[in-house]
Amino acid sequence: MAVPRGLAAVVAALVLSTCFSLTVADSSAGAVPAARSPGALHRQLTSDLRRAGGASSALVVDETTGQTLFSVASRAPRLPASVEKLYTTTAALLELGPSATFTTNVLGVGALAPGGVWKGTIYLRGGGDPTFGDAHFDALSYHAGATVQQLVAALKRTGVRRIDGSIVGDGSYFDSRRGTPATGYHPSLEVEGQLDALAYDAGFQSSAYASLQPNPTLWAAQAFATVLKSAGVRLPSRPRISTGVTPGSAQLLASVSSPPLSTILELTNSPSDNFFAETLLKDLGARLGHDGTTATGAAVVRATIAERLGLHPTFNDGSGLSRADRTTAADIVTLLEHMQSDPTFTNSLAIAGVRGTMQHEMVATRAARDCRGKTGTLSNVANLVGYCTAANGNRLVFAFLMNSLTSSDFGHAQEDLMGEALAAYDAGPGHFAPTRTTPTATTTTPTRTTPTHTTPTTTVTTPPVGSGGTSPP
């Protein structure tokens, strides 16, 4: 993850499970006219699906007419990969609402003495905000997050000018497992951060996104102390900084809230951010279940999806990294149909040729801007689901799930062509005949860019007060 993450800068160099860049290359392929009947579209999609190989499923429904245009093994269980995030974000939206926020609090046990001296212990308690961190990191990554500088400014407004006591970081809102089932619950760059209720800068040591903090809760508390000092709040010469649990008697002194859930969903789905999805899962477990664990969050999502949508996918994480996850093309289309009138959901998706993991897909085709959705990629998986506005003005809802592939890159190239075919579909009046470039298995196929993940360091010197907890790029 060598460049900024998030909604404002979702580019192909992000280390995301579904981040890629495809270029069309096969000069021998000929122009294919737009399908002017369901039968013609069916033949086009069948050809593209077969060319990808593997175990594939597909379903395309014309929402305007109610007609099923294409269906292949639509009820066969497949690995969703990052399409899994649609279940997590849909459950969060349905249960919490678009304006929900996650709060990081400063609490104290003690009293404010004359001169603005806080005599006692200060607690920094995390509330599961995936955006919390340094202003510099936020500027590079989100342009929308909650920053420690905002929190310190709020604390100063209460009159605190000096702290005569210790500082304690509290991440107990979540459990202590920093990874997911796919990583054995251990920290991993595959998760694109560390799952801590007090995660600071997503658990990275710097904005280079190259290594993870050895103790994210402690790191956040130390960074908080650094910013306090730089903001003019005096601390002991050698402040006592540790981790612990905030006592019930502590009084709230200051807080900072995340951007609304609507923004968090954009930061999750469009760039396909694993850290955001997995943090949301634990948030759901903490807020609606009995604890902030991956298992409890997954149970909440399963219950919500079953109750609200009547669907029963199999999954044990929030991002789709797990190979125990299963869903069907029919289930995904049902979800998309249910959520299509919710602008918070549809606005969170990647857009062909414009943003997110589809920014470099279907560029300069009829599908650019007219198709939006969610991609999913594992080593032998290529998935694409979403909505396309066809040339005849109809809205098409689709799910293409390709598993057991020899090349996920080639699978995604075929899905791009299938998306172009949907956007070019013109079964009614009018004329539109775009050019489709068809890669073959023997040609040089486009490359999905996935930077190599490095093993996170486990022995790192935590930042002393004054170092800031993050380093400039």
Side-chain angles (χ1 to χ4, degrees):
M1 190 173 300
V3 296
R5 350 158 5 121
L7 179 65
V10 282
V11 294
L14 278 165
V15 181
L16 299 170
S17 63
T18 57
C19 188
F20 55 89
S21 176
L22 296 178
T23 55
V24 177
D26 183 4
S27 58
S28 63
V32 179
R36 303 204 179 276
S37 70
L41 178 65
H42 191 281
R43 289 189 292 274
Q44 285 185 359
L45 297 180
T46 297
S47 175
D48 291 333
L49 197 66
R50 285 177 177 170
R51 192 177 293 110
S56 299
S57 298
L59 181 61
V60 180
V61 175
D62 186 329
E63 280 298 300
T64 304
T65 66
Q67 184 179 15
T68 296
L69 300 177
F70 187 65
S71 180
V72 173
S74 64
R75 298 193 179 277
R78 305 295 185 200
L79 280 164
S82 282
V83 170
E84 177 71 25
K85 293 179 176 71
L86 295 185
Y87 288 119
T88 305
T89 54
T90 294
L93 182 57
L94 293 176
E95 293 289 356
L96 305 179
S99 61
T101 58
F102 306 97
T103 305
T104 305
N105 294 320
V106 176
L107 302 100
V109 173
L112 187 61
V117 180
W118 179 264
K119 290 187 176 293
T121 303
I122 291 290
Y123 292 86
L124 178 66
R125 186 169 68 187
D129 176 7
T131 72
F132 181 67
D134 185 76
H136 175 70
F137 190 92
D138 174 66
L140 289 175
S141 304
Y142 317 126
H143 294 281
T147 70
V148 68
Q149 284 82 2
Q150 294 168 343
L151 186 58
V152 167
L155 180 62
K156 288 187 67 177
R157 286 195 292 271
T158 67
V160 174
R161 294 295 180 268
R162 175 181 168 184
I163 295 173
D164 187 5
S166 58
I167 295 175
V168 179
D170 180 0
S172 63
Y173 190 59
F174 289 174
D175 65 1
S176 60
R177 289 177 161 181
R178 308 305 182 205
T180 71
T183 69
Y185 296 102
H186 299 301
S188 170
L189 290 178
E190 293 287 340
V191 182
E192 299 171 353
Q194 295 205 70
L195 305 181
D196 190 307
L198 188 55
Y200 183 89
D201 292 353
F204 286 101
Q205 292 192 38
S206 75
S207 54
Y209 314 105
S211 56
L212 299 172
Q213 301 159 7
N215 184 333
T217 306
L218 180 62
W219 191 285
Q222 291 174 318
F224 175 60
T226 296
V227 176
L228 282 169
K229 186 175 180 181
S230 65
V233 177
R234 287 177 292 167
L235 304 178
S237 58
R238 300 186 66 179
R240 298 185 302 276
I241 304 173
S242 63
T243 63
V245 178
T246 307
S249 60
Q251 59 178 300
L252 179 65
L253 301 177
S255 63
V256 63
S257 294
S258 72
L261 184 64
S262 56
T263 298
I264 289 177
L265 296 194
E266 290 186 58
L267 292 165
T268 303
N269 284 334
S270 179
S272 197
D273 194 299
N274 294 330
F275 170 70
F276 271 62
E278 298 292 352
T279 298
L280 274 178
L281 193 72
K282 288 196 173 188
D283 280 323
L284 288 170
R287 190 169 292 195
L288 302 174
H290 53 80
D291 55 38
T293 67
T294 295
T296 301
V300 170
V301 174
R302 282 194 295 268
T304 299
I305 296 300
E307 179 182 352
R308 302 289 191 96
L309 279 66
L311 304 177
H312 302 276
T314 300
F315 58 89
N316 64 3
D317 68 355
S319 64
L321 287 173
S322 173
R323 287 186 174 268
D325 300 336
R326 292 293 186 277
T327 192
T328 70
D331 283 354
I332 292 296
V333 166
T334 297
L335 180 150
L336 292 168
E337 289 175 327
H338 183 88
M339 300 301 293
Q340 64 182 325
S341 61
D342 190 321
T344 297
F345 176 81
T346 57
N347 289 341
S348 75
L349 303 175
I351 302 174
V354 177
R355 74 175 187 195
T357 56
M358 296 176 70
Q359 180 177 355
H360 302 285
E361 310 313 307
M362 307 177 224
V363 177
T365 71
R366 177 68 173 79
R369 297 185 179 273
D370 283 342
C371 291
R372 66 175 61 211
K374 186 76 198 69
T375 59
T377 308
L378 292 171
S379 59
N380 63 342
V381 175
N383 298 331
L384 178 65
V385 308
Y387 310 98
C388 281
T389 300
N392 63 4
N394 292 1
R395 168 174 273 200
L396 309 184
V397 182
F398 69 93
F400 304 139
L401 306 180
M402 298 180 179
N403 288 194
S404 303
L405 302 175
T406 56
S407 170
S408 59
D409 293 337
F410 189 76
H412 279 297
Q414 296 308 126
E415 288 169 340
D416 277 2
L417 296 176
M418 295 168 80
E420 292 173 30
L422 298 185
Y425 177 61
D426 190 2
H431 176 74
F432 179 69
T435 298
R436 299 176 74 244
T437 311
T438 308
T440 64
T442 57
T443 60
T444 302
T445 57
T447 301
R448 173 173 295 262
T449 303
T450 305
T452 302
H453 291 193
T454 57
T455 302
T457 58
T458 55
T459 56
V460 180
T461 303
T462 52
V465 173
S467 70
T470 59
S471 302

